[in-house]
Amino acid sequence: TRGYQVALHVEEAGRLLPGTFNYYSASADVRAYLPLGQSLVVANRVQFGSIRAAGDDPAQVPFSKKYFLGGATSLRGWGRYEVSPLSTSGLPIGGNSLVAASSELRAALKGSFGGVLFVDAGNVWANEKAINLRDLRVAVGTGIRYATPVGPLRFDVGYQLNPIDGLIVNGAPQARRWRIHFSIGQAF
């Protein structure tokens, strides 16, 4: 409910110890929490990251290291891993650069219940040269929280303001602009 957190991550593969992959990556996650009186908190998060493959060869970066957004802890208007560059058939394939930001207004309601209004924005690109902040995907929504001993039980509904053209979800073109997420713990 108060304070800030900064997390930095740097990784290198294939230079000192030979292996199948050869890349380096750097990312940061910055969070800030500002109380407004007794019952309101403004929570903010900014994330960015980039992976650079040796020789600009995409095969040098394993699929498990690619960036994706969407789901209960990032762009809540989309399902998990739905926001990334797409294959020619419309499936998310992951990218090597990401920018994301989220802001929440958290309110204590009554007893163990709380509510939240949020806006999430971000996108994933093939590489850092392709980053264009005009391409950010944006979702807005609301949620309910119930405090438990292991963290808040969370129910969020997110709505896409600018859907992804050509995205295939469960074998069909995406038609639904909203998503529901249940989780334990805050989104960030």
Side-chain angles (χ1 to χ4, degrees):
T1 59
R2 173 186 309 270
Y4 64 93
Q5 175 184 351
V6 177
L8 303 172
H9 177 84
V10 178
E11 181 176 335
E12 183 178 38
R15 185 171 177 189
L16 296 177
L17 297 173
T20 307
F21 302 108
N22 190 348
Y23 66 92
Y24 66 90
S25 69
S27 62
D29 184 316
V30 179
R31 304 170 186 205
Y33 308 93
L34 176 67
L36 300 176
Q38 297 289 352
S39 62
L40 292 175
V41 173
V42 176
N44 296 292
R45 174 178 63 185
V46 176
Q47 299 171 285
F48 54 91
S50 190
I51 303 170
R52 184 165 293 168
D56 286 330
D57 178 5
Q60 293 295 322
V61 180
F63 183 78
S64 62
K65 294 294 182 176
K66 298 280 187 179
Y67 293 123
F68 293 87
L69 289 173
T73 60
S74 63
L75 292 172
R76 289 170 271 187
W78 283 268
R80 189 172 181 198
Y81 303 143
E82 289 181 354
V83 179
S84 87
L86 302 178
S87 69
T88 55
S89 59
L91 298 174
I93 57 173
N96 289 348
S97 293
L98 82 81
V99 173
S102 294
S103 188
E104 290 186 343
L105 178 62
R106 300 174 181 172
L109 297 177
K110 184 169 177 137
S112 296
F113 285 94
V116 65
L117 297 173
F118 64 83
V119 61
D120 299 329
N123 207 342
V124 178
W125 295 271
N127 56 51
E128 70 273 358
K129 296 172 195 158
I131 293 174
N132 183 345
L133 297 181
R134 289 176 282 162
D135 292 338
L136 292 180
R137 300 295 169 188
V138 180
V140 296
T142 188
I144 298 291
R145 308 290 185 263
Y146 180 77
T148 72
V150 295
L153 207 68
R154 184 161 56 96
F155 172 81
D156 288 333
V157 178
Y159 180 78
Q160 305 167 6
L161 295 183
N162 51 348
I164 300 170
D165 293 332
L167 175 63
I168 301 296
V169 176
N170 296 325
Q174 173 190 271
R176 189 171 42 124
R177 291 181 70 167
W178 54 272
R179 298 292 188 275
I180 295 174
H181 300 283
F182 293 99
S183 190
I184 295 178
Q186 298 288 5
F188 58 93

